[in-house]
């Protein structure tokens, strides 16, 4: 798979051809990363957001409808303890985009890195300035995920009401500050062309990211896009497989949105070449308010992960003992 035309063809594959594509992706994964799944523990830090994305129920226009929450420094540190105690070596702090959380996150990061210097801490908090990112890096964040969502500039700007240029600027700032950087896309957006999905993969290559994800569009309630059809899981799975073949060492998650519309979807993500799963560590009272895919989103638990990793014939990667205490089995 070396040129644009071949990637386009691969994105359209179904049936036997698709199975061959997945097998090639699994081979690439085995040769580069072994058969290991890396686990991340996610903490949802706030549902407050400055941005008004048409696909997201936590969009700014819903400010008055949603019960807003924002975790305290202690809440964050407590949840990190739970993640480390579960034997997981990667923490993901995700949330709406608001500068309000930055001082809290910075203080929490300092405590966390002091306690666990080898923990990987990924932030997924949206666009900030170079200086704000620099402070987060200084406080101990190692990695940052900022999905470019779609490389189709008109589509991006129509759905997010924000300049595409600014998002890209943020990605380059993150790179220049030495973060491990992640980007990614959504598939099945209205008016999105297959050619633009090929460009999404080229963009990931150009920026030189270490992590890349794809989620099928989920029409979430209480958004301007709620009546639209859901993105096709098969296309998202083919994107995973193409990413793996093109970028063998990339961290590629099999996201919960794959399970949201199809039972077994997340397991198929592993079959298509993904190597990362994320377990939710938000407290249930906050979880109910983090409406990313609406109220009945699929919450990934440790037992679900254990099952699909086994079904996919993979193993959970040991977390290299980030905690000073002895830990139990990973899941
Ligand atoms: N505020 C942060 C985090 C956003 S939520 C930021 O702007 O980066 C994390 C990701 O979930 C988004 O980047 C988007 O790709 C995905 N997402 C959000 N709503 C979605 C939906 N309705 N369908 C599919 N993916 C969605």
């Amino acid at each position: 798979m070396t040129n644009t035309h071949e990637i386009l063809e691969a994105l359209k594959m179904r049936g036997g051809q698709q199975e061959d594509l997945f097998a090639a992706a699994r081979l690439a994964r085995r040769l580069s990363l072994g058969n290991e799944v890396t686990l991340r523990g996610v903490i949802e830090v706030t549902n407050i957001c400055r941005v008004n994305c048409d696909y997201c129920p936590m969009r700014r226009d819903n400010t008055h409808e949603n019960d807003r929450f924002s975790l305290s420094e202690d809440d964050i540190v407590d949840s990190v303890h739970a993640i480390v105690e579960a034997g997981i070596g990667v923490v993901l702090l995700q949330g709406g985009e608001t500068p309000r959380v930055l001082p809290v996150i910075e203080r929490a990061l300092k405590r966390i890195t002091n306690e666990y210097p080898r923990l990987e801490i990924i932030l997924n908090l949206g666009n900030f300035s170079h200086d704000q990112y620099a402070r987060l890096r200084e406080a101990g964040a190692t990695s940052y995920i900022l999905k470019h969502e779609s490389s189709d500039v008109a589509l991006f700007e129509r759905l997010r009401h924000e300049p595409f240029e600014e998002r890209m600027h943020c990605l380059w700032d993150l790179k220049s500050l030495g973060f491990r950087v992640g980007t990614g896309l959504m598939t099945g957006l209205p008016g999105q062309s297959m050619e633009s999905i090929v460009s999404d993969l080229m963009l990931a290559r150009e920026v030189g990211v270490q992590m890349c994800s794809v989620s099928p569009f989920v029409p979430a309630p209480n958004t301007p896009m709620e009546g639209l059809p859901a993105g096709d899981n098969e296309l998202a799975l083919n994107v995973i497989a193409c990413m793996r073949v093109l970028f063998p060492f990339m961290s590629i998650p099999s996201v919960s949105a794959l399970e949201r519309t199809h039972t077994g979807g997340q397991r198929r993500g592993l079959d298509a070449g993904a190597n990362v799963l994320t377990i939710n560590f938000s407290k249930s009272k906050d979880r109910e308010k983090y409406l990313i895919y609406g109220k009945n989103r699929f919450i990934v638990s440790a037992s679900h992960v254990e099952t699909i990793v086994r079904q996919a014939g993979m193993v959970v990667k040991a977390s290299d003992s980030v905690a000073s205490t002895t830990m139990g089995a990973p899941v």
Side-chain angles (χ1 to χ4, degrees), residues 55 94-95 124 126 147 149 167 186 215-218 292-293:
Y55 44 82
Q94 189 185 73
N124 178 212
K147 294 177 69 177
E149 314 294 2
R167 193 86 166 166
M186 288 183 274
S215 32
F217 162 63
V218 175
I292 187 159
Y293 304 127

Side-chain angles (χ1 to χ4, degrees), residues 43-47 69-71 76 93-95 101 105 125 290:
I43 306 166
E44 291 146 348
V45 293
T46 184
N47 64 358
F69 80 92
S70 197
L71 298 191
I76 296 173
L93 301 181
Q94 189 185 73
V101 295
I105 299 223
L125 303 169
Y290 197 83

Side-chain angles (χ1 to χ4, degrees), residues 45-115:
V45 293
T46 184
N47 64 358
I48 301 168
C49 196
R50 170 194 77 75
V51 195
N52 211 24
C53 303
D54 284 357
Y55 44 82
C56 183
M58 294 181 280
R59 61 203 306 269
R60 185 183 63 236
D61 278 0
N62 288 351
T63 299
H64 302 296
E65 295 183 43
N66 293 340
D67 191 0
R68 296 286 160 164
F69 80 92
S70 197
L71 298 191
S72 70
E73 187 187 322
D74 283 345
D75 289 337
I76 296 173
V77 174
D78 283 353
S79 295
V80 169
H81 284 149
I83 292 172
V84 174
E85 274 156 27
I88 297 174
V90 186
V91 168
L92 172 63
L93 301 181
Q94 189 185 73
E97 185 179 309
T98 169
R100 252 196 262 181
V101 295
L102 294 181
V104 179
I105 299 223
E106 253 181 75
R107 288 197 300 273
L109 282 173
K110 285 185 181 150
R111 283 171 58 187
I112 297 162
T113 47
N114 199 28
E115 202 172 345

